[in-house]
Amino acid sequence: MSEEAIFARALCAMSGGVDSSVAAALMLEQGYPCVGITLKLYKGESRCCSLADVNDARNVAFSLGMDHYVLNFTEEFDKYVVRHFIDTYEAGATPNPCIECNRHIKFNILLLRARQLDFDLLVTGHYARTSKDPVSGRHLLLKAIDEKKDQSYVLYCLTQQQLERSRFPLGSLSKNEVRKIADDKKFINAAKGESQDICFVPDGDYGNFIEEYTGKTYPEGDIIDLDGKVIGKHKGLIRYTIGQRRGLGVAANTPVYVAAKSTAANTVTLAADEALYTKSLSAKDINLIACEDLKKPMRVMVKTRYLQTAQSAIAEQTDKNNLRVDFDSPQRAITPGQAVVMYDGDIVVGGGTIE
């Protein structure tokens, strides 16, 4: 048992999935007094926090001898995640709701609630690691050992205070190892699958979801080429994102992709693949983890999408809330609204929202 476990109580966020279940079990094995908590996040149909998920989480918690509770965060989730998702699409960008959920719900509101309930730590099933820099004293976020499962990209928004109180027990394990632990413990969800879709849009039709939620009808407009020539009609800007090829409704001799969107002109611009590449980006609302600020341009490895292989670049902080990234080689379909995350080896330097 670690010295920390003697004095610290842990609140384990349990989604009903195998990862969070094993994370809770590992904390118990390390000697931490643990309580399981499942969040009710979305009022409608969802791929997470369903009654079945709650029951799975409760079953695992009770099998481990843990108390288990459910917290209703539907209003907060609607305000900070769903509304942001819609506002971002309406502004012509493409959001990442998992990041907003981590930023506002799991590691802000839930962490504050944990402190109110006299818990010292918040435990989640994310695949990531933490450490502390012995020189600067800063809390660091690192990639998981299993790079195929690494979720550090969606955690770049965590602050020093949040990292200090967060624990990720799965960071040094592979998914196969996690499955084996769950199977050995005979967890009810040991073989449970996982979804890659946005939890509150289970059918993946973002446009229909937004129209049903808002009650709005988003106007059709022109699809144009790079010369401004009208080549078709789009079905509302919310149904398109940079790099999209499917569902364009335009006949072309060669493959074409969404290269740009204009909310002012209500147009979608299509172009050949080579037009989607650019060597630089700007980002806003930055959060730096490994350092307080970038005092000079820094060579980093960069991801602009969750599943992307990190690319070599130079990052420069232009002011308190903004940075510029210049890549060594052109990058495809850099998308406003998505996150840019910078790495120094396994260490997350920080990131921001692509403008």
Side-chain angles (χ1 to χ4, degrees):
M1 179 184 295
S2 68
E3 182 179 348
E4 181 184 70
I6 298 174
F7 300 102
R9 299 176 70 232
L11 187 66
C12 301
M14 302 179 71
S15 66
V18 64
D19 292 333
S20 57
S21 297
V22 171
L26 292 176
M27 290 297 284
L28 280 171
E29 289 181 359
Q30 293 172 37
Y32 290 88
C34 295
V35 169
I37 199 83
T38 301
L39 303 182
K40 176 62 178 173
L41 295 176
Y42 188 61
K43 298 175 183 177
E45 182 183 355
S46 171
R47 288 190 182 272
C48 69
C49 64
S50 67
L51 180 59
D53 293 322
V54 172
N55 287 336
D56 286 348
R58 179 177 289 117
N59 183 292
V60 170
F62 288 177
S63 75
L64 293 170
M66 294 168 52
D67 289 336
H68 175 266
Y69 302 95
V70 178
L71 288 180
N72 188 334
F73 281 179
T74 53
E75 290 187 8
E76 293 87 346
F77 187 79
D78 185 77
K79 176 180 179 181
Y80 291 109
V81 181
V82 179
R83 190 67 250 181
H84 175 270
F85 177 84
I86 292 168
D87 289 346
T88 303
Y89 264 112
E90 289 184 334
T94 303
N96 188 319
C98 292
I99 290 175
E100 298 310 309
C101 187
N102 287 331
R103 188 197 310 270
H104 295 289
I105 306 299
K106 293 174 184 173
F107 296 95
N108 185 16
I109 298 172
L110 179 57
L111 196 51
L112 290 172
R113 183 66 60 86
R115 295 299 295 146
Q116 292 169 356
L117 296 173
D118 201 27
F119 289 94
D120 305 287
L121 304 174
L122 176 64
V123 181
T124 74
H126 287 98
Y127 286 81
R129 294 176 293 155
T130 58
S131 68
K132 193 171 184 179
D133 188 325
V135 177
S136 67
R138 292 184 70 84
H139 296 277
L140 302 177
L141 175 67
L142 292 82
K143 292 180 183 177
I145 294 297
D146 185 348
E147 287 221 25
K148 291 181 180 178
K149 294 299 298 179
D150 173 52
Q151 293 174 295
S152 60
Y153 175 87
V154 296
L155 297 171
Y156 86 86
C157 54
L158 299 191
T159 67
Q160 288 294 294
Q161 294 76 21
Q162 291 164 347
L163 284 168
E164 181 181 12
R165 298 195 177 277
S166 300
R167 296 294 181 271
F168 309 119
L170 306 189
S172 297
L173 300 176
S174 70
K175 183 70 176 194
N176 287 339
E177 289 173 319
V178 170
R179 291 277 189 198
K180 186 177 187 307
I181 293 171
D183 191 57
D184 289 345
K185 293 182 179 295
K186 295 180 170 53
F187 286 168
I188 193 173
N189 55 10
K192 191 173 183 177
E194 50 192 319
S195 172
Q196 303 298 322
D197 297 321
I198 294 174
C199 66
F200 55 90
V201 192
D203 65 357
D205 192 332
Y206 306 153
N208 280 351
F209 170 81
I210 294 172
E211 289 191 337
E212 290 177 5
Y213 182 98
T214 62
K216 298 179 183 178
T217 299
Y218 293 86
E220 296 182 350
D222 291 333
I223 296 178
I224 60 177
D225 62 18
L226 290 176
D227 296 323
K229 178 184 176 182
V230 176
I231 55 176
K233 290 287 185 181
H234 68 72
K235 299 176 182 178
L237 290 183
I238 60 168
R239 298 180 183 277
Y240 302 83
T241 190
I242 303 301
Q244 179 178 333
R245 179 183 177 184
R246 296 181 182 274
L248 301 178
V250 172
N253 295 326
T254 58
V256 289
Y257 305 82
V258 175
K261 300 193 298 181
S262 170
T263 54
N266 191 30
T267 57
V268 171
T269 301
L270 303 187
D273 184 72
E274 55 265 26
L276 272 61
Y277 287 80
T278 183
K279 287 196 69 173
S280 65
L281 65 80
S282 59
K284 63 180 180 179
D285 299 330
I286 64 173
N287 179 63
L288 297 176
I289 295 176
C291 54
E292 187 172 347
D293 52 49
L294 300 180
K295 299 186 182 302
K296 60 182 180 179
M298 179 180 182
R299 177 156 290 281
V300 289
M301 299 299 290
V302 173
K303 283 186 169 188
T304 57
R305 294 184 302 279
Y306 175 43
L307 296 177
Q308 180 190 29
T309 300
Q311 302 293 310
S312 182
I314 299 291
E316 181 179 6
Q317 187 172 351
T318 53
D319 60 37
K320 181 179 179 181
N321 296 313
N322 296 272
L323 60 83
R324 175 186 173 90
V325 175
D326 292 295
F327 293 93
D328 290 358
S329 58
Q331 300 299 303
R332 185 183 186 277
I334 294 177
T335 306
Q338 293 287 291
V340 53
V341 180
M342 305 172 290
Y343 294 86
D344 181 7
D346 283 347
I347 298 172
V348 177
V349 177
T353 302
I354 297 170
E355 289 191 283

